[in-house]
Amino acid sequence: MDAVQQEATARARELQRSWYGEPLGALFRRLIDDLGLNQARLAAVLGLSAPMLSQLMSGQRAKIGNPAVVQRVQALQDLASQVADGSVSAAEATDRMDEIKRTQGGSVLSSSTQNSTGSGAPTVKRVVREIQSLLRSVSAAGDILDAANNLAPSHPELAEFLRVYGAGRTADAVAHYEAHQN
């Protein structure tokens, strides 16, 4: 790989970090490991071609263009967490992956994509990720930050919201969400 390609890959990974919280290669490898998948199965569940998945993982491409695919990624992250904590068995995970594969997107806050805590309520992390997904499907992080800077003088709270959820890390957005409840 020459210096120009290395620079482009590094830039793509940095964009992925700003949009998705981490480079997609790391995120997808974790899903593969946690859910016992291979790349072809992950691509099929997400609704991506195997070459597109490979390009996203390697940093040849920066952005997932389809918001429904972003939602499927988030659903798989939630499923991996449930498998890790033992609330979903491996057999149930396989069925859930088939359901995730069939989802077409739609309402970001639809009940069919919510991660349950047992009471049917979405978890804070799931709500935060859905807000992030919606914002990031509309605009790139840099554009969201520009909008936040323009709003800051007259609407500082809205500017903070855009910065935290539109361009920040998920952990920071969860802390913001929890601090602003009640």
Side-chain angles (χ1 to χ4, degrees), residues 82-142:
Q82 292 172 339
V83 169
D85 72 18
S87 62
V88 172
S89 71
E92 291 170 320
T94 299
D95 291 340
R96 295 273 298 279
M97 282 187 273
D98 289 338
E99 291 172 21
I100 291 167
K101 180 180 178 178
R102 289 191 297 271
T103 62
Q104 298 300 311
S107 172
V108 174
L109 296 174
S110 69
S111 61
S112 65
T113 62
Q114 288 179 352
N115 177 20
S116 294
T117 59
S119 64
T123 64
V124 168
K125 191 171 187 179
R126 178 66 190 172
V127 170
V128 164
R129 284 186 173 159
E130 289 173 344
I131 293 167
Q132 289 175 317
S133 174
L134 180 60
L135 284 170
R136 294 168 185 182
S137 72
V138 172
S139 193

Side-chain angles (χ1 to χ4, degrees), residues 144-145 148-149 152 156 158-169:
I144 292 170
L145 289 173
N149 290 337
L158 185 55
E160 177 186 15
F161 176 88
L162 288 175
R163 282 188 199 101
V164 171
Y165 293 89
R169 301 180 69 78

